[in-house]
């Protein structure tokens, strides 16, 4: 490419963040907590979804007897998801608030789809944790088999530090302040003590995704917060009820709370890295969607696909569904690549440059924190290693040492097994293909792994050292 | 497998004549034949003869050869067993001491002469010849875009086809790509089922997956069978069973074998028992670590004291070319049996066997706790620490605090 046409991405980037900073937001929580409905409604209130679309969803949903799912259908688009009424894959969309530009990732809550949830959360900077306030529902999501805790721990281990907790469906318990405070108290204890969130980074917001109360606005006598999915006749009554029973809450609305979230430092000066979450054929080339983990890229530049070291050229790109000429770390992008076969790129590939390739490995040393496991981890323990949207089977090949949580000193060398809540140095070998991976000190995003077995997350870890290169 | 003849002397030397009949039998044979055993079988050898004028003539001759085994090769995918070694019985065509490789085939008898038939080998013969222990099950383990079509027998897990068919994700406003991708994915599985599963042999076909993939697959298979009028599939509809697994990787087979509805189907087959035994071991390790040990050193200490309740070993240890090592493990098994322990010899072709192999290959659940074994080990470990203190890298301690913060807090 001619040098005259090159864009100075760094100065462009400075201009863009001066205008409005962007954030990737993931919505997590137990299945049926109302994540999709909440976000679908929020998108509608923010004007991202037209009235017409909502009406159409409402009619169609009613036809199959799922009238209350109309808002969720904004994000749950496949036939399977709609018919079953649960989210299966991450829904990606965007919206803007006063000070922030958001890429929204709606994660599935069902435990079988945690790999997808990990994929979504790995792309996020901040999260909304949705909990169901209904009697019994909060408890079932919060106990050992629920996903509330697992999601929160995963989010924390994947680098999410700021969390907004949406205490949803509070309309069902008549906007009870006592119930809200009970949930806040239980969650706060867990999030601060076990999941190591900073108390100051947690915001609790009572709301209702179904009626739309306290998402964008509060209902006031002059300004009725209209839940459009509810038939018109019921509005006055419900609003009257809300006004009288919800007057105790003086805090911010959901949108106000997320508007205040801080943006993290983006590693824009580092070598270019993009993790691929989706690949499909499109007119004129191969479409590759994912998140820019580090560095920047512009149209016309060459990229290298790892594993495989195949070269391709960026033909065009989109950031948040808008065509642009450049993108920088933190952006959720869609690249159209030319000069490459679709079979050479897959979910889990990493794009980089020829000058600074990312290591590809099957054997690495990691420091892990063992979660609340039922059986201890031993040598030879088979696990599924998750790195962002990719997962590969592997084994824990060596237990190097257990280390003290606080001081970081070695407690015991070559332990026989690792029980719950221990921190340890281990070596992990992948049984199948090699995956692109970096040491945590080189890349915070590409140096994290999650270990799962039998449908449970057993440990979260960071990569200390790559022990073998190539496959 | 058919046992044609067996003759074993008091000093445990002797011979056995066997006819392997299927794939699994080949696996048993592979586990039987050791280095320095003698093998007699019908084989084909290319004989070169030089005439007086110097022209070379070569012909293939079918003959019976006896060799002293040097090397055993087994291809688990095609089930070919190749045994090479030196010829030990003279023959009109072949000189003594020349090398020959025998390919063992199904339905052809062979005679194996061992200087010592130990317990493990004899049990293996018995097991291989036991028809009641046969149960063939096919399984399709899948998740979106990834599937493993496998065959399970009592001592083997064979991956028949690994399907990796990337499915595009749903995108805002367009799910056509996703739906098309899923269809293509199911089509590949359907073809693999037609190609690899023989419905006359298999008792059932397990469809395992997380989420709803198995249900979608089930629907697809029968819709497709109706469309193409595939009678075999339609007639065998009751053989299809759906099981929940947490992933589509091969590891999930362990979950499949632990599922109550499958346990019935697999009935008394070894595989299910092995999975259970391994689970019990891990459970014990969690509840009472002083009653669960692994590694030869610890386990043999426990055996000395007669503490072993259940002993888990993989067959790989008995296949060791090193005779001393093999003897060591056989002695361990006999010692454990003598004190009334249950012994499970895991097949290393199963997922559970692979797991145990990684876990040093030998593990034991004890009848009573032996906390001092762990203590002894700690002392030893402490000695080692003193020794390699110089070379121990200090890379962790500096980063540890910072790194840990990143992992969790």
């Amino acid at each position: 490419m001619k040098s005259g046409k090159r864009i100075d991405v760094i100065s462009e980037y400075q201009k863009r963040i001066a205008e409005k900073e962007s954030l990737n937001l993931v919505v997590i929580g137990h299945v049926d907590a109302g994540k999709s409905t909440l976000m679908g409604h929020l998108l509608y209130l923010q004007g991202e979804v037209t009235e017409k679309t909502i009406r159409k969803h409402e009619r169609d949903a009613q036809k199959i007897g799922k009238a209350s799912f109309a808002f969720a259908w904004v994000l749950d688009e496949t036939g399977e998801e709609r018919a079953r009424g649960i989210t299966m894959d991450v829904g990606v969309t965007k919206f803007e608030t006063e000070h922030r530009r958001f890429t929204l990732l709606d994660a599935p809550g069902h435990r079988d789809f945690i790999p997808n949830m990990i994929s979504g959360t790995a792309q996020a900077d901040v999260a909304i944790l949705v909990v169901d306030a209904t009697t019994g529902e909060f408890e079932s999501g919060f106990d050992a088999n629920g996903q509330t805790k697992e999601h929160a721990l995963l989010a924390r281990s994947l680098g999410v530090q700021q969390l907004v907790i949406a205490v949803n469906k509070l309309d069902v318990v008549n906007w009870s302040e006592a119930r809200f405070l009970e949930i806040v108290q239980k969650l706060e204890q867990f999030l601060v003590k076990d999941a190591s969130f900073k108390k100051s980074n947690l915001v609790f917001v009572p709301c209702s995704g179904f009626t739309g109360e306290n998402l964008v606005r509060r209902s006031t006598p002059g300004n009725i917060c209209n839940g459009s999915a509810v038939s018109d006749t019921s509005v006055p009554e419900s609003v009257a009820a809300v006004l009288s029973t919800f007057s105790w809450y003086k805090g911010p609305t959901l949108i106000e709370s997320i508007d205040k979230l801080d943006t993290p430092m983006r590693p824009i000066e580092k070598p270019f890295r993009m993790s691929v979450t989706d690949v499909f054929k499109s007119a004129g080339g191969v479409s590759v969607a994912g998140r820019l983990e580090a560095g920047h890229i512009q149209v016309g530049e060459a990229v290298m696909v790892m594993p495989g070291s195949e070269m391709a050229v960026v033909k065009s790109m989109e950031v948040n569904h808008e065509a642009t000429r450049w993108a920088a770390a933190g952006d959720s992008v869609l690249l159209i690549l030319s000069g490459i076969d679709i079979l050479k790129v897959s979910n889990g590939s990493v794009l980089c440059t020829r000058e600074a390739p990312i290591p590809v490995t099957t054997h690495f040393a990691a420091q892990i924190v063992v979660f609340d496991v039922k059986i201890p981890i031993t040598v030879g323990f088979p696990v599924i290693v998750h790195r962002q949207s990719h997962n590969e089977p592997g084994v824990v090949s060596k237990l190097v040492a257990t280390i003290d949580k606080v001081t970081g000193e070695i407690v015991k060398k070559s332990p026989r097994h690792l029980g719950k809540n221990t921190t340890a140095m281990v070596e992990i070998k992948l049984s199948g293909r090699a995956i692109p991976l970096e040491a945590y000190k080189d890349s915070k995003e590409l140096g994290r792994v999650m270990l799962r077995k039998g449908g449970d997350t057993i440990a979260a870890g960071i990569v200390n050292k790559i022990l073998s290169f190539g496959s | 497998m058919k046992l044609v003849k067996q003759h074993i002397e008091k000093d445990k030397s002797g011979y056995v004549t066997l006819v392997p009949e299927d794939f699994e039998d080949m696996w048993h044979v592979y586990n039987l034949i050791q280095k320095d055993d003698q093998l007699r079988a019908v084989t084909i050898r290319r004989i070169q003869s030089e005439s007086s004028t110097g022209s070379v003539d070569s012909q293939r001759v079918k003959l019976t050869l006896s060799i002293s085994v040097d090397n055993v090769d087994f291809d688990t995918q095609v089930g070919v067993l190749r045994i090479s070694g030196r010829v030990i019985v003279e023959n009109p065509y072949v000189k003594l001491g020349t090398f020959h490789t025998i390919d063992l085939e199904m339905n052809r008898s062979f005679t194996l002469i061992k200087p010592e038939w130990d317990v493990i080998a004899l049990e293996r013969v018995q097991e291989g010849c036991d028809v009641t222990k046969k149960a063939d099950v096919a399984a399709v383990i899948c998740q979106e875009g990834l599937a493993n079509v496998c065959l399970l027998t009592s001592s083997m897990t064979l991956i028949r086809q690994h399907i990796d068919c990337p499915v595009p994700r749903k995108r805002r406003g367009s799910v056509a790509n996703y739906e098309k991708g899923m269809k293509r994915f199911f089509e590949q599985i359907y073809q693999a089922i037609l190609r690899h599963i023989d419905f006359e042999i298999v008792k059932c076909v397990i469809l395992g997956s997380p989420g709803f993939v198995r249900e979608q697959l089930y629907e697809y298979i029968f819709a497709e069978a109706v469309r193409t009028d595939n009678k075999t599939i339609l007639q065998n509809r009751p053989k299809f069973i759906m099981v929940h697994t947490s992933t589509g990787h091969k590891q999930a087979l362990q979950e499949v074998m632990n599922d109550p509805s499958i346990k019935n189907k697999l009935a008394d087959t070894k595989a299910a028992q092995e999975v259970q035994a391994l689970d019990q071991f891990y459970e014990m390790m969690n509840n009472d670590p002083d009653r669960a040990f692994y590694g030869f050193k610890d386990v043999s200490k426990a055996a000395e004291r007669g503490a072993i309740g259940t002993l888990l070993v993989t067959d790989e240890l008995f296949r060791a070319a090193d005779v001393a090592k093999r003897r060591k493990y056989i002695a361990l098994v006999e010692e454990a049996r003598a004190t009334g322990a249950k012994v499970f010899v895991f097949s290393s072709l199963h997922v559970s066997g692979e797991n145990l192999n990684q876990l040093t290959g030998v593990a034991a659940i004890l009848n009573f706790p032996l906390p001092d074994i762990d203590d002894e080990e700690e002392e030893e470990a402490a000695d080692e620490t003193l020794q390699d203190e110089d070379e121990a890298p200090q890379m962790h301690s500096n980063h540890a605090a910072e790194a840990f913060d990143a992992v969790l807090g």
Side-chain angles (χ1 to χ4, degrees), chain A residues 112 454, chain B residues 137 139 141 152 204-210 214 240-246 251-269 271-276 279:
Chain A
D112 274 359
Chain B
V137 172
I141 307 297
L152 308 176
C204 63
V205 182
I206 300 164
L207 305 180
S209 82
R214 58 181 178 280
F240 284 81
I241 309 171
M242 286 186 271
V243 181
H244 175 265
T245 64
S246 65
Q251 289 177 6
L253 282 171
Q254 225 161 330
E255 289 167 40
V256 169
M257 291 189 195
N258 242 348
D259 192 283
S261 61
I262 301 301
K263 265 185 195 163
N264 290 337
K265 296 272 171 187
L266 288 168
D268 52 1
T269 56
Q273 289 175 2
E274 289 170 4
V275 172
Q276 249 177 329
D279 272 4

Side-chain angles (χ1 to χ4, degrees), chain A residues 179-228:
Chain A
R179 178 66 177 164
F180 176 69
L181 291 177
E182 180 195 348
I183 290 170
V184 169
Q185 190 254 329
K186 275 189 187 158
L187 272 176
E188 199 169 69
Q189 197 194 5
F190 166 75
L191 292 171
V192 173
K193 211 170 136 260
D194 299 328
S196 316
F197 279 98
K198 278 201 197 101
K199 200 175 168 182
S200 54
N201 282 337
L202 301 175
V203 186
F204 291 85
V205 181
C207 62
S208 165
F210 183 61
T211 67
E213 180 66 27
N214 207 27
L215 296 184
V216 177
R217 276 181 297 277
R218 295 283 304 276
S219 293
T220 53
N223 174 13
I224 288 168
C225 179
N226 189 354
S228 72

Side-chain angles (χ1 to χ4, degrees), chain B residues 12 14 16 18 26-40 66-74 81-86 88 102 104 110-125 314-330 345 348:
Chain B
K12 288 185 179 170
V16 167
L18 293 163
M26 300 306 274
W27 169 250
H28 289 306
V29 175
Y30 171 55
N31 279 288
L32 270 178
I33 302 178
Q34 240 92 47
K35 193 172 179 249
D36 298 330
D37 288 353
Q38 294 172 16
L39 180 76
R40 187 165 67 238
S66 291
I67 60 168
S68 158
V69 178
D70 224 24
N71 194 18
V72 188
D73 248 344
F74 184 55
L81 193 53
R82 294 168 71 91
I83 297 128
S84 61
R86 281 170 190 273
I88 47 165
I102 297 179
L104 285 187
F110 69 90
T111 303
L112 183 65
I113 305 152
K114 271 178 180 289
E116 185 190 348
W117 284 89
D118 50 51
V119 201
I120 296 291
L122 287 174
E123 269 170 21
R124 179 66 77 168
V125 172
T314 59
D315 53 14
E316 203 171 87
L317 297 169
F318 304 114
R319 233 184 292 136
D322 178 358
V323 182
K325 190 175 166 197
R326 188 183 150 88
R327 286 237 173 85
K328 202 168 78 173
Y329 282 102
I330 289 171
V345 180
S348 50

Side-chain angles (χ1 to χ4, degrees), chain A residues 1-7 298-301 325:
Chain A
M1 186 166 54
K2 282 180 213 141
S3 59
K5 271 168 81 183
R6 276 188 82 95
I7 298 164
Q298 52 182 292
V299 171
E301 280 185 335
R325 308 231 4 117

Side-chain angles (χ1 to χ4, degrees), chain A residues 390-456:
Chain A
H390 195 58
N391 57 72
E392 271 299 314
V395 290
V396 177
S397 60
K398 196 170 171 191
L399 306 181
V400 181
T402 51
I403 46 188
D404 190 280
K405 256 184 187 179
V406 187
T407 60
E409 272 166 24
I410 291 176
V411 178
K412 189 178 175 186
K413 274 196 171 183
S414 352
R416 279 201 312 141
H417 58 87
L418 308 174
K420 54 180 152 189
N421 303 328
T422 46
T423 306
M425 317 277 312
V426 298
E427 282 179 19
I428 294 167
K429 271 189 184 152
L430 301 177
S431 3
R433 292 166 298 184
I435 59 167
L437 204 65
E438 268 185 296
Y440 184 74
K441 61 174 172 25
D442 298 327
S443 166
K444 284 193 165 52
E445 292 76 18
L446 294 158
R448 292 179 200 275
V449 287
M450 301 289 130
L451 306 183
R452 292 177 45 86
K453 181 178 194 272
D456 296 312

